[in-house]
Amino acid sequence: DAGITQSPRHKVTETGTPVTLRCHQTENHRYMYWYRQDPGHGLRLIHYSYGVKDTDKGEVSDGYSVSRSKTEDFLLTLESATSSQTSVYFCAISDTGELFFGEGSRLTVL
Amino acid sequence: GESVGLHLPTLSVQEGDNSIINCAYSNSASDYFIWYKQESGKGPQFIIDIRSNMDKRQGQRVTVLLNKTVKHLSLQIAATQPGDSAVYFCAEKTGSNYQLIWGAGTKLIIKP
């Protein structure tokens, strides 16, 4: 398995609180991605990174920010969590096109 | 916008039979297609990919067929096994854009 670790794996929080999810890779891949997965929607791209400090928005970026200060870490932050952000979040990495996914982080916003 | 879709949300197949999972795509400029398998509680895993200059590609027990004329992609799984139970996603990519466009997924159920 590709060396991708997501943390936390499960989190329950309240509306309005900040939340940060972390993705750590040991593969030295250039590209990193954050997706959310919801029933009926498949995987939707939130943000992605194509290098250290180089990030761009995906199709559902509103309410999310990201940072990548070093190659191995890609952080996803919800500044003020809302119930609509209850989802399973997946980090992915790639170099040549094929994506390798982490195990997912289940976030519940009450 | 452009999207990748699937014909059937659920597919039930007898163990040992062949499975065919279909996918329609709408962006004729897409040049790279991937199939992923997602087991319950896990992240998607790469199965097989195909570029637009090919019509067919085979892997271990899996074959992907690409029909650019009708913008259709299919995944064939030979001799389906219980371990094949999962949700299968197709995804497409265009040129140097590293973003994938994902379909909603097809759940494959194996009947004993």
Side-chain angles (χ1 to χ4, degrees), chain A residues 1 31 33 35 37 42-43 45 48 57-58 90 95 97-99 101-103, chain B residues 32 34 36 38 41-46 51 89 98-100 102-104:
Chain A
D1 292 339
Y31 299 90
Y33 310 78
Y35 286 90
Q37 186 173 38
L43 285 153
L45 182 65
Y48 66 101
K57 296 179 179 180
F90 286 99
D95 250 354
E98 175 187 346
L99 267 65
F101 285 84
E103 293 292 287
Chain B
Y32 180 61
I34 313 175
Y36 280 86
Q38 186 176 25
K42 296 185 177 181
Q45 286 185 299
F46 171 88
R51 298 201 175 274
F89 293 94
Y98 282 90
Q99 296 189 50
L100 289 174
W102 294 79

PDB file of all heavy atoms in Angstrom, chain A residues 1 31 33 35 37 42-43 45 48 57-58 90 95 97-99 101-103, chain B residues 32 34 36 38 41-46 51 89 98-100 102-104:
ATOM      1  N   ASP A   1       0.842  -1.205   0.000  1.00  0.00           N
ATOM      2  CA  ASP A   1       0.000   0.000   0.000  1.00  0.00           C
ATOM      3  C   ASP A   1       0.874   1.250   0.000  1.00  0.00           C
ATOM      4  O   ASP A   1       1.952   1.276   0.585  1.00  0.00           O
ATOM      5  CB  ASP A   1      -0.896   0.041   1.241  1.00  0.00           C
ATOM      6  CG  ASP A   1      -1.953  -1.043   1.209  1.00  0.00           C
ATOM      7  OD1 ASP A   1      -2.237  -1.539   0.102  1.00  0.00           O
ATOM      8  OD2 ASP A   1      -2.483  -1.397   2.265  1.00  0.00           O
ATOM      9  N   TYR A  31       1.913  15.467  -6.335  1.00  0.00           N
ATOM     10  CA  TYR A  31       0.535  15.937  -6.263  1.00  0.00           C
ATOM     11  C   TYR A  31      -0.198  15.338  -5.064  1.00  0.00           C
ATOM     12  O   TYR A  31      -0.070  14.150  -4.777  1.00  0.00           O
ATOM     13  CB  TYR A  31      -0.228  15.575  -7.544  1.00  0.00           C
ATOM     14  CG  TYR A  31       0.370  16.196  -8.777  1.00  0.00           C
ATOM     15  CD1 TYR A  31       1.352  15.525  -9.507  1.00  0.00           C
ATOM     16  CD2 TYR A  31      -0.016  17.454  -9.193  1.00  0.00           C
ATOM     17  CE1 TYR A  31       1.924  16.096 -10.627  1.00  0.00           C
ATOM     18  CE2 TYR A  31       0.547  18.039 -10.317  1.00  0.00           C
ATOM     19  CZ  TYR A  31       1.521  17.358 -11.030  1.00  0.00           C
ATOM     20  OH  TYR A  31       2.083  17.938 -12.129  1.00  0.00           O
ATOM     21  N   TYR A  33      -4.181  15.578  -3.019  1.00  0.00           N
ATOM     22  CA  TYR A  33      -5.565  15.968  -3.240  1.00  0.00           C
ATOM     23  C   TYR A  33      -6.389  15.715  -1.988  1.00  0.00           C
ATOM     24  O   TYR A  33      -6.119  14.784  -1.235  1.00  0.00           O
ATOM     25  CB  TYR A  33      -6.196  15.139  -4.373  1.00  0.00           C
ATOM     26  CG  TYR A  33      -5.404  15.070  -5.658  1.00  0.00           C
ATOM     27  CD1 TYR A  33      -4.301  14.233  -5.775  1.00  0.00           C
ATOM     28  CD2 TYR A  33      -5.780  15.828  -6.771  1.00  0.00           C
ATOM     29  CE1 TYR A  33      -3.583  14.157  -6.959  1.00  0.00           C
ATOM     30  CE2 TYR A  33      -5.078  15.753  -7.960  1.00  0.00           C
ATOM     31  CZ  TYR A  33      -3.981  14.917  -8.052  1.00  0.00           C
ATOM     32  OH  TYR A  33      -3.281  14.847  -9.223  1.00  0.00           O
ATOM     33  N   TYR A  35     -10.437  14.986  -1.274  1.00  0.00           N
ATOM     34  CA  TYR A  35     -11.758  14.723  -1.811  1.00  0.00           C
ATOM     35  C   TYR A  35     -12.735  14.553  -0.655  1.00  0.00           C
ATOM     36  O   TYR A  35     -12.363  14.151   0.441  1.00  0.00           O
ATOM     37  CB  TYR A  35     -11.783  13.415  -2.612  1.00  0.00           C
ATOM     38  CG  TYR A  35     -11.133  13.455  -3.966  1.00  0.00           C
ATOM     39  CD1 TYR A  35      -9.784  13.150  -4.129  1.00  0.00           C
ATOM     40  CD2 TYR A  35     -11.883  13.753  -5.103  1.00  0.00           C
ATOM     41  CE1 TYR A  35      -9.194  13.160  -5.385  1.00  0.00           C
ATOM     42  CE2 TYR A  35     -11.304  13.757  -6.367  1.00  0.00           C
ATOM     43  CZ  TYR A  35      -9.963  13.462  -6.492  1.00  0.00           C
ATOM     44  OH  TYR A  35      -9.395  13.470  -7.741  1.00  0.00           O
ATOM     45  N   GLN A  37     -16.477  12.457   0.011  1.00  0.00           N
ATOM     46  CA  GLN A  37     -17.343  11.442  -0.575  1.00  0.00           C
ATOM     47  C   GLN A  37     -18.649  11.400   0.173  1.00  0.00           C
ATOM     48  O   GLN A  37     -18.675  11.182   1.387  1.00  0.00           O
ATOM     49  CB  GLN A  37     -16.671  10.062  -0.544  1.00  0.00           C
ATOM     50  CG  GLN A  37     -17.465   8.998  -1.280  1.00  0.00           C
ATOM     51  CD  GLN A  37     -16.720   7.688  -1.385  1.00  0.00           C
ATOM     52  OE1 GLN A  37     -16.033   7.269  -0.468  1.00  0.00           O
ATOM     53  NE2 GLN A  37     -16.851   7.023  -2.537  1.00  0.00           N
ATOM     54  N   GLY A  42     -20.527  10.426  -5.308  1.00  0.00           N
ATOM     55  CA  GLY A  42     -19.207   9.914  -5.624  1.00  0.00           C
ATOM     56  C   GLY A  42     -18.134  10.745  -4.943  1.00  0.00           C
ATOM     57  O   GLY A  42     -18.316  11.274  -3.846  1.00  0.00           O
ATOM     58  N   LEU A  43     -17.010  10.875  -5.605  1.00  0.00           N
ATOM     59  CA  LEU A  43     -15.882  11.633  -5.068  1.00  0.00           C
ATOM     60  C   LEU A  43     -15.870  13.024  -5.684  1.00  0.00           C
ATOM     61  O   LEU A  43     -15.933  13.170  -6.907  1.00  0.00           O
ATOM     62  CB  LEU A  43     -14.576  10.918  -5.384  1.00  0.00           C
ATOM     63  CG  LEU A  43     -14.301   9.689  -4.546  1.00  0.00           C
ATOM     64  CD1 LEU A  43     -13.418   8.716  -5.292  1.00  0.00           C
ATOM     65  CD2 LEU A  43     -13.644  10.092  -3.236  1.00  0.00           C
ATOM     66  N   LEU A  45     -13.711  16.715  -5.721  1.00  0.00           N
ATOM     67  CA  LEU A  45     -12.433  17.319  -5.386  1.00  0.00           C
ATOM     68  C   LEU A  45     -12.639  18.640  -4.646  1.00  0.00           C
ATOM     69  O   LEU A  45     -13.360  19.527  -5.118  1.00  0.00           O
ATOM     70  CB  LEU A  45     -11.616  17.551  -6.658  1.00  0.00           C
ATOM     71  CG  LEU A  45     -10.224  18.139  -6.473  1.00  0.00           C
ATOM     72  CD1 LEU A  45      -9.322  17.168  -5.715  1.00  0.00           C
ATOM     73  CD2 LEU A  45      -9.614  18.480  -7.832  1.00  0.00           C
ATOM     74  N   TYR A  48      -6.451  20.765  -4.362  1.00  0.00           N
ATOM     75  CA  TYR A  48      -5.310  19.928  -4.660  1.00  0.00           C
ATOM     76  C   TYR A  48      -4.031  20.760  -4.630  1.00  0.00           C
ATOM     77  O   TYR A  48      -4.083  22.004  -4.635  1.00  0.00           O
ATOM     78  CB  TYR A  48      -5.461  19.202  -6.002  1.00  0.00           C
ATOM     79  CG  TYR A  48      -5.472  20.084  -7.221  1.00  0.00           C
ATOM     80  CD1 TYR A  48      -4.329  20.214  -8.014  1.00  0.00           C
ATOM     81  CD2 TYR A  48      -6.623  20.769  -7.605  1.00  0.00           C
ATOM     82  CE1 TYR A  48      -4.335  21.010  -9.146  1.00  0.00           C
ATOM     83  CE2 TYR A  48      -6.637  21.561  -8.725  1.00  0.00           C
ATOM     84  CZ  TYR A  48      -5.506  21.679  -9.505  1.00  0.00           C
ATOM     85  OH  TYR A  48      -5.507  22.472 -10.619  1.00  0.00           O
ATOM     86  N   LYS A  57      -8.015  25.308  -6.246  1.00  0.00           N
ATOM     87  CA  LYS A  57      -9.340  24.887  -5.837  1.00  0.00           C
ATOM     88  C   LYS A  57      -9.873  23.775  -6.731  1.00  0.00           C
ATOM     89  O   LYS A  57      -9.595  23.725  -7.922  1.00  0.00           O
ATOM     90  CB  LYS A  57     -10.299  26.081  -5.903  1.00  0.00           C
ATOM     91  CG  LYS A  57      -9.963  27.191  -4.939  1.00  0.00           C
ATOM     92  CD  LYS A  57     -10.950  28.347  -5.078  1.00  0.00           C
ATOM     93  CE  LYS A  57     -10.626  29.461  -4.099  1.00  0.00           C
ATOM     94  NZ  LYS A  57     -11.576  30.594  -4.224  1.00  0.00           N
ATOM     95  N   GLY A  58     -10.692  22.922  -6.108  1.00  0.00           N
ATOM     96  CA  GLY A  58     -11.427  21.924  -6.861  1.00  0.00           C
ATOM     97  C   GLY A  58     -12.865  22.379  -7.038  1.00  0.00           C
ATOM     98  O   GLY A  58     -13.183  23.563  -6.925  1.00  0.00           O
ATOM     99  N   PHE A  90     -11.205  11.983   1.836  1.00  0.00           N
ATOM    100  CA  PHE A  90     -10.095  11.165   1.374  1.00  0.00           C
ATOM    101  C   PHE A  90      -8.972  12.047   0.858  1.00  0.00           C
ATOM    102  O   PHE A  90      -9.196  12.982   0.087  1.00  0.00           O
ATOM    103  CB  PHE A  90     -10.531  10.227   0.253  1.00  0.00           C
ATOM    104  CG  PHE A  90     -11.359   9.067   0.716  1.00  0.00           C
ATOM    105  CD1 PHE A  90     -12.736   9.099   0.606  1.00  0.00           C
ATOM    106  CD2 PHE A  90     -10.752   7.945   1.266  1.00  0.00           C
ATOM    107  CE1 PHE A  90     -13.508   8.041   1.044  1.00  0.00           C
ATOM    108  CE2 PHE A  90     -11.513   6.870   1.701  1.00  0.00           C
ATOM    109  CZ  PHE A  90     -12.894   6.912   1.590  1.00  0.00           C
ATOM    110  N   ASP A  95       1.791  10.956  -8.940  1.00  0.00           N
ATOM    111  CA  ASP A  95       2.933  11.519  -9.647  1.00  0.00           C
ATOM    112  C   ASP A  95       2.695  11.542 -11.153  1.00  0.00           C
ATOM    113  O   ASP A  95       2.926  12.526 -11.815  1.00  0.00           O
ATOM    114  CB  ASP A  95       4.202  10.714  -9.349  1.00  0.00           C
ATOM    115  CG  ASP A  95       5.185  11.484  -8.498  1.00  0.00           C
ATOM    116  OD1 ASP A  95       4.935  12.680  -8.244  1.00  0.00           O
ATOM    117  OD2 ASP A  95       6.200  10.905  -8.108  1.00  0.00           O
ATOM    118  N   GLY A  97      -0.319  10.239 -12.716  1.00  0.00           N
ATOM    119  CA  GLY A  97      -1.717  10.120 -13.135  1.00  0.00           C
ATOM    120  C   GLY A  97      -2.523   9.234 -12.236  1.00  0.00           C
ATOM    121  O   GLY A  97      -3.623   9.573 -11.839  1.00  0.00           O
ATOM    122  N   GLU A  98      -2.017   8.042 -11.939  1.00  0.00           N
ATOM    123  CA  GLU A  98      -2.738   7.133 -11.041  1.00  0.00           C
ATOM    124  C   GLU A  98      -2.751   7.732  -9.642  1.00  0.00           C
ATOM    125  O   GLU A  98      -1.737   8.173  -9.133  1.00  0.00           O
ATOM    126  CB  GLU A  98      -2.060   5.771 -11.020  1.00  0.00           C
ATOM    127  CG  GLU A  98      -2.658   4.793 -10.044  1.00  0.00           C
ATOM    128  CD  GLU A  98      -1.855   3.517  -9.945  1.00  0.00           C
ATOM    129  OE1 GLU A  98      -1.005   3.287 -10.822  1.00  0.00           O
ATOM    130  OE2 GLU A  98      -2.080   2.757  -8.987  1.00  0.00           O
ATOM    131  N   LEU A  99      -3.936   7.732  -9.027  1.00  0.00           N
ATOM    132  CA  LEU A  99      -4.073   8.240  -7.667  1.00  0.00           C
ATOM    133  C   LEU A  99      -4.022   7.101  -6.667  1.00  0.00           C
ATOM    134  O   LEU A  99      -4.606   6.034  -6.876  1.00  0.00           O
ATOM    135  CB  LEU A  99      -5.414   8.971  -7.501  1.00  0.00           C
ATOM    136  CG  LEU A  99      -5.421  10.473  -7.735  1.00  0.00           C
ATOM    137  CD1 LEU A  99      -5.105  10.792  -9.168  1.00  0.00           C
ATOM    138  CD2 LEU A  99      -6.748  11.073  -7.334  1.00  0.00           C
ATOM    139  N   PHE A 101      -4.993   6.413  -2.672  1.00  0.00           N
ATOM    140  CA  PHE A 101      -5.843   7.016  -1.664  1.00  0.00           C
ATOM    141  C   PHE A 101      -5.489   6.560  -0.256  1.00  0.00           C
ATOM    142  O   PHE A 101      -5.039   5.427  -0.039  1.00  0.00           O
ATOM    143  CB  PHE A 101      -7.308   6.655  -1.925  1.00  0.00           C
ATOM    144  CG  PHE A 101      -7.913   7.413  -3.069  1.00  0.00           C
ATOM    145  CD1 PHE A 101      -7.750   6.977  -4.373  1.00  0.00           C
ATOM    146  CD2 PHE A 101      -8.642   8.569  -2.833  1.00  0.00           C
ATOM    147  CE1 PHE A 101      -8.304   7.679  -5.433  1.00  0.00           C
ATOM    148  CE2 PHE A 101      -9.197   9.279  -3.884  1.00  0.00           C
ATOM    149  CZ  PHE A 101      -9.031   8.833  -5.180  1.00  0.00           C
ATOM    150  N   GLY A 102      -5.748   7.460   0.687  1.00  0.00           N
ATOM    151  CA  GLY A 102      -5.685   7.100   2.085  1.00  0.00           C
ATOM    152  C   GLY A 102      -6.938   6.358   2.495  1.00  0.00           C
ATOM    153  O   GLY A 102      -7.830   6.117   1.684  1.00  0.00           O
ATOM    154  N   GLU A 103      -7.028   6.011   3.775  1.00  0.00           N
ATOM    155  CA  GLU A 103      -8.137   5.215   4.282  1.00  0.00           C
ATOM    156  C   GLU A 103      -9.366   6.056   4.604  1.00  0.00           C
ATOM    157  O   GLU A 103     -10.422   5.508   4.881  1.00  0.00           O
ATOM    158  CB  GLU A 103      -7.705   4.446   5.528  1.00  0.00           C
ATOM    159  CG  GLU A 103      -6.662   3.371   5.230  1.00  0.00           C
ATOM    160  CD  GLU A 103      -7.234   2.245   4.400  1.00  0.00           C
ATOM    161  OE1 GLU A 103      -8.011   1.434   4.939  1.00  0.00           O
ATOM    162  OE2 GLU A 103      -6.925   2.183   3.196  1.00  0.00           O
TER     163      GLU A 103
ATOM    164  N   TYR B  32      -7.742  10.005 -20.928  1.00  0.00           N
ATOM    165  CA  TYR B  32      -7.238   9.020 -19.971  1.00  0.00           C
ATOM    166  C   TYR B  32      -8.388   8.620 -19.074  1.00  0.00           C
ATOM    167  O   TYR B  32      -9.102   9.491 -18.541  1.00  0.00           O
ATOM    168  CB  TYR B  32      -6.104   9.637 -19.169  1.00  0.00           C
ATOM    169  CG  TYR B  32      -5.468   8.732 -18.136  1.00  0.00           C
ATOM    170  CD1 TYR B  32      -4.851   7.542 -18.502  1.00  0.00           C
ATOM    171  CD2 TYR B  32      -5.458   9.095 -16.795  1.00  0.00           C
ATOM    172  CE1 TYR B  32      -4.253   6.728 -17.565  1.00  0.00           C
ATOM    173  CE2 TYR B  32      -4.856   8.282 -15.841  1.00  0.00           C
ATOM    174  CZ  TYR B  32      -4.255   7.102 -16.235  1.00  0.00           C
ATOM    175  OH  TYR B  32      -3.662   6.290 -15.291  1.00  0.00           O
ATOM    176  N   ILE B  34      -9.775   5.788 -15.949  1.00  0.00           N
ATOM    177  CA  ILE B  34      -9.324   4.888 -14.890  1.00  0.00           C
ATOM    178  C   ILE B  34     -10.527   4.233 -14.231  1.00  0.00           C
ATOM    179  O   ILE B  34     -11.575   4.858 -14.079  1.00  0.00           O
ATOM    180  CB  ILE B  34      -8.543   5.655 -13.792  1.00  0.00           C
ATOM    181  CG1 ILE B  34      -7.508   6.599 -14.389  1.00  0.00           C
ATOM    182  CG2 ILE B  34      -7.865   4.686 -12.835  1.00  0.00           C
ATOM    183  CD1 ILE B  34      -6.799   7.451 -13.351  1.00  0.00           C
ATOM    184  N   TYR B  36     -11.563   2.423 -10.590  1.00  0.00           N
ATOM    185  CA  TYR B  36     -11.177   2.223  -9.202  1.00  0.00           C
ATOM    186  C   TYR B  36     -12.184   1.314  -8.523  1.00  0.00           C
ATOM    187  O   TYR B  36     -13.370   1.309  -8.852  1.00  0.00           O
ATOM    188  CB  TYR B  36     -11.134   3.557  -8.442  1.00  0.00           C
ATOM    189  CG  TYR B  36      -9.885   4.356  -8.668  1.00  0.00           C
ATOM    190  CD1 TYR B  36      -9.784   5.228  -9.750  1.00  0.00           C
ATOM    191  CD2 TYR B  36      -8.798   4.257  -7.808  1.00  0.00           C
ATOM    192  CE1 TYR B  36      -8.632   5.960  -9.965  1.00  0.00           C
ATOM    193  CE2 TYR B  36      -7.640   4.999  -8.015  1.00  0.00           C
ATOM    194  CZ  TYR B  36      -7.566   5.844  -9.094  1.00  0.00           C
ATOM    195  OH  TYR B  36      -6.432   6.573  -9.300  1.00  0.00           O
ATOM    196  N   GLN B  38     -13.652   0.345  -4.685  1.00  0.00           N
ATOM    197  CA  GLN B  38     -13.696   0.796  -3.304  1.00  0.00           C
ATOM    198  C   GLN B  38     -14.463  -0.201  -2.449  1.00  0.00           C
ATOM    199  O   GLN B  38     -15.669  -0.368  -2.619  1.00  0.00           O
ATOM    200  CB  GLN B  38     -14.324   2.188  -3.170  1.00  0.00           C
ATOM    201  CG  GLN B  38     -14.246   2.734  -1.753  1.00  0.00           C
ATOM    202  CD  GLN B  38     -14.782   4.148  -1.633  1.00  0.00           C
ATOM    203  OE1 GLN B  38     -15.608   4.580  -2.426  1.00  0.00           O
ATOM    204  NE2 GLN B  38     -14.311   4.881  -0.637  1.00  0.00           N
ATOM    205  N   GLY B  41     -15.537   0.890   3.768  1.00  0.00           N
ATOM    206  CA  GLY B  41     -14.668   1.429   4.800  1.00  0.00           C
ATOM    207  C   GLY B  41     -13.246   1.713   4.377  1.00  0.00           C
ATOM    208  O   GLY B  41     -12.400   2.054   5.214  1.00  0.00           O
ATOM    209  N   LYS B  42     -12.988   1.605   3.077  1.00  0.00           N
ATOM    210  CA  LYS B  42     -11.630   1.834   2.596  1.00  0.00           C
ATOM    211  C   LYS B  42     -11.606   2.901   1.513  1.00  0.00           C
ATOM    212  O   LYS B  42     -12.642   3.279   0.972  1.00  0.00           O
ATOM    213  CB  LYS B  42     -11.031   0.534   2.052  1.00  0.00           C
ATOM    214  CG  LYS B  42     -10.857  -0.550   3.093  1.00  0.00           C
ATOM    215  CD  LYS B  42     -10.139  -1.744   2.492  1.00  0.00           C
ATOM    216  CE  LYS B  42      -9.895  -2.810   3.551  1.00  0.00           C
ATOM    217  NZ  LYS B  42      -9.166  -3.983   2.973  1.00  0.00           N
ATOM    218  N   GLY B  43     -10.418   3.363   1.195  1.00  0.00           N
ATOM    219  CA  GLY B  43     -10.267   4.297   0.094  1.00  0.00           C
ATOM    220  C   GLY B  43     -10.279   3.567  -1.239  1.00  0.00           C
ATOM    221  O   GLY B  43     -10.046   2.359  -1.305  1.00  0.00           O
ATOM    222  N   PRO B  44     -10.564   4.277  -2.323  1.00  0.00           N
ATOM    223  CA  PRO B  44     -10.550   3.649  -3.652  1.00  0.00           C
ATOM    224  C   PRO B  44      -9.165   3.102  -4.000  1.00  0.00           C
ATOM    225  O   PRO B  44      -8.145   3.682  -3.625  1.00  0.00           O
ATOM    226  CB  PRO B  44     -10.928   4.802  -4.585  1.00  0.00           C
ATOM    227  CG  PRO B  44     -11.639   5.790  -3.727  1.00  0.00           C
ATOM    228  CD  PRO B  44     -10.981   5.684  -2.386  1.00  0.00           C
ATOM    229  N   GLN B  45      -9.167   1.989  -4.734  1.00  0.00           N
ATOM    230  CA  GLN B  45      -7.919   1.387  -5.178  1.00  0.00           C
ATOM    231  C   GLN B  45      -7.918   1.290  -6.694  1.00  0.00           C
ATOM    232  O   GLN B  45      -8.913   0.878  -7.296  1.00  0.00           O
ATOM    233  CB  GLN B  45      -7.765  -0.012  -4.582  1.00  0.00           C
ATOM    234  CG  GLN B  45      -7.421  -0.041  -3.108  1.00  0.00           C
ATOM    235  CD  GLN B  45      -7.180  -1.457  -2.635  1.00  0.00           C
ATOM    236  OE1 GLN B  45      -8.065  -2.296  -2.710  1.00  0.00           O
ATOM    237  NE2 GLN B  45      -5.984  -1.723  -2.160  1.00  0.00           N
ATOM    238  N   PHE B  46      -6.791   1.621  -7.287  1.00  0.00           N
ATOM    239  CA  PHE B  46      -6.634   1.557  -8.731  1.00  0.00           C
ATOM    240  C   PHE B  46      -6.794   0.120  -9.222  1.00  0.00           C
ATOM    241  O   PHE B  46      -6.260  -0.819  -8.636  1.00  0.00           O
ATOM    242  CB  PHE B  46      -5.243   2.087  -9.097  1.00  0.00           C
ATOM    243  CG  PHE B  46      -4.858   1.898 -10.528  1.00  0.00           C
ATOM    244  CD1 PHE B  46      -5.189   2.861 -11.460  1.00  0.00           C
ATOM    245  CD2 PHE B  46      -4.156   0.780 -10.940  1.00  0.00           C
ATOM    246  CE1 PHE B  46      -4.817   2.718 -12.784  1.00  0.00           C
ATOM    247  CE2 PHE B  46      -3.783   0.618 -12.259  1.00  0.00           C
ATOM    248  CZ  PHE B  46      -4.116   1.589 -13.189  1.00  0.00           C
ATOM    249  N   ARG B  51      -5.717   4.645 -22.116  1.00  0.00           N
ATOM    250  CA  ARG B  51      -5.594   5.930 -22.787  1.00  0.00           C
ATOM    251  C   ARG B  51      -6.472   5.931 -24.031  1.00  0.00           C
ATOM    252  O   ARG B  51      -6.827   4.875 -24.552  1.00  0.00           O
ATOM    253  CB  ARG B  51      -4.133   6.212 -23.130  1.00  0.00           C
ATOM    254  CG  ARG B  51      -3.257   6.301 -21.885  1.00  0.00           C
ATOM    255  CD  ARG B  51      -1.975   7.048 -22.089  1.00  0.00           C
ATOM    256  NE  ARG B  51      -1.255   7.179 -20.821  1.00  0.00           N
ATOM    257  CZ  ARG B  51      -1.468   8.160 -19.951  1.00  0.00           C
ATOM    258  NH1 ARG B  51      -2.358   9.096 -20.221  1.00  0.00           N
ATOM    259  NH2 ARG B  51      -0.793   8.212 -18.828  1.00  0.00           N
ATOM    260  N   PHE B  89     -15.767   2.701  -9.508  1.00  0.00           N
ATOM    261  CA  PHE B  89     -15.851   4.050 -10.060  1.00  0.00           C
ATOM    262  C   PHE B  89     -15.044   4.139 -11.348  1.00  0.00           C
ATOM    263  O   PHE B  89     -13.924   3.637 -11.417  1.00  0.00           O
ATOM    264  CB  PHE B  89     -15.260   5.083  -9.093  1.00  0.00           C
ATOM    265  CG  PHE B  89     -16.024   5.253  -7.826  1.00  0.00           C
ATOM    266  CD1 PHE B  89     -15.688   4.534  -6.688  1.00  0.00           C
ATOM    267  CD2 PHE B  89     -17.089   6.152  -7.754  1.00  0.00           C
ATOM    268  CE1 PHE B  89     -16.394   4.710  -5.506  1.00  0.00           C
ATOM    269  CE2 PHE B  89     -17.792   6.326  -6.576  1.00  0.00           C
ATOM    270  CZ  PHE B  89     -17.442   5.598  -5.457  1.00  0.00           C
ATOM    271  N   TYR B  98      -4.606  17.622 -14.046  1.00  0.00           N
ATOM    272  CA  TYR B  98      -4.461  16.488 -13.151  1.00  0.00           C
ATOM    273  C   TYR B  98      -5.715  16.202 -12.354  1.00  0.00           C
ATOM    274  O   TYR B  98      -5.732  15.327 -11.511  1.00  0.00           O
ATOM    275  CB  TYR B  98      -3.255  16.689 -12.237  1.00  0.00           C
ATOM    276  CG  TYR B  98      -1.975  16.382 -12.962  1.00  0.00           C
ATOM    277  CD1 TYR B  98      -1.294  17.361 -13.650  1.00  0.00           C
ATOM    278  CD2 TYR B  98      -1.487  15.089 -12.992  1.00  0.00           C
ATOM    279  CE1 TYR B  98      -0.139  17.066 -14.337  1.00  0.00           C
ATOM    280  CE2 TYR B  98      -0.332  14.782 -13.677  1.00  0.00           C
ATOM    281  CZ  TYR B  98       0.339  15.771 -14.351  1.00  0.00           C
ATOM    282  OH  TYR B  98       1.473  15.470 -15.033  1.00  0.00           O
ATOM    283  N   GLN B  99      -6.753  16.943 -12.605  1.00  0.00           N
ATOM    284  CA  GLN B  99      -8.012  16.661 -11.924  1.00  0.00           C
ATOM    285  C   GLN B  99      -8.745  15.547 -12.652  1.00  0.00           C
ATOM    286  O   GLN B  99      -8.858  15.542 -13.870  1.00  0.00           O
ATOM    287  CB  GLN B  99      -8.883  17.912 -11.901  1.00  0.00           C
ATOM    288  CG  GLN B  99      -8.301  19.053 -11.101  1.00  0.00           C
ATOM    289  CD  GLN B  99      -9.301  20.175 -10.935  1.00  0.00           C
ATOM    290  OE1 GLN B  99     -10.437  19.956 -10.543  1.00  0.00           O
ATOM    291  NE2 GLN B  99      -8.883  21.387 -11.242  1.00  0.00           N
ATOM    292  N   LEU B 100      -9.269  14.618 -11.864  1.00  0.00           N
ATOM    293  CA  LEU B 100     -10.097  13.549 -12.401  1.00  0.00           C
ATOM    294  C   LEU B 100     -11.561  13.920 -12.238  1.00  0.00           C
ATOM    295  O   LEU B 100     -11.953  14.534 -11.253  1.00  0.00           O
ATOM    296  CB  LEU B 100      -9.830  12.241 -11.664  1.00  0.00           C
ATOM    297  CG  LEU B 100      -8.493  11.541 -11.905  1.00  0.00           C
ATOM    298  CD1 LEU B 100      -8.366  10.354 -10.977  1.00  0.00           C
ATOM    299  CD2 LEU B 100      -8.387  11.096 -13.350  1.00  0.00           C
ATOM    300  N   TRP B 102     -15.093  12.164 -11.718  1.00  0.00           N
ATOM    301  CA  TRP B 102     -15.524  10.858 -11.235  1.00  0.00           C
ATOM    302  C   TRP B 102     -16.992  10.600 -11.525  1.00  0.00           C
ATOM    303  O   TRP B 102     -17.824  11.501 -11.441  1.00  0.00           O
ATOM    304  CB  TRP B 102     -15.307  10.779  -9.731  1.00  0.00           C
ATOM    305  CG  TRP B 102     -13.878  10.806  -9.322  1.00  0.00           C
ATOM    306  CD1 TRP B 102     -13.076  11.899  -9.239  1.00  0.00           C
ATOM    307  CD2 TRP B 102     -13.078   9.683  -8.947  1.00  0.00           C
ATOM    308  NE1 TRP B 102     -11.831  11.526  -8.835  1.00  0.00           N
ATOM    309  CE2 TRP B 102     -11.799  10.185  -8.641  1.00  0.00           C
ATOM    310  CE3 TRP B 102     -13.328   8.312  -8.826  1.00  0.00           C
ATOM    311  CZ2 TRP B 102     -10.755   9.353  -8.238  1.00  0.00           C
ATOM    312  CZ3 TRP B 102     -12.291   7.495  -8.415  1.00  0.00           C
ATOM    313  CH2 TRP B 102     -11.024   8.014  -8.126  1.00  0.00           C
ATOM    314  N   GLY B 103     -17.296   9.367 -11.796  1.00  0.00           N
ATOM    315  CA  GLY B 103     -18.683   8.923 -11.852  1.00  0.00           C
ATOM    316  C   GLY B 103     -19.187   8.657 -10.445  1.00  0.00           C
ATOM    317  O   GLY B 103     -18.417   8.674  -9.478  1.00  0.00           O
ATOM    318  N   ALA B 104     -20.472   8.389 -10.312  1.00  0.00           N
ATOM    319  CA  ALA B 104     -21.095   8.204  -9.006  1.00  0.00           C
ATOM    320  C   ALA B 104     -20.846   6.812  -8.432  1.00  0.00           C
ATOM    321  O   ALA B 104     -21.043   6.606  -7.235  1.00  0.00           O
ATOM    322  CB  ALA B 104     -22.591   8.480  -9.092  1.00  0.00           C
TER     323      ALA B 104
END
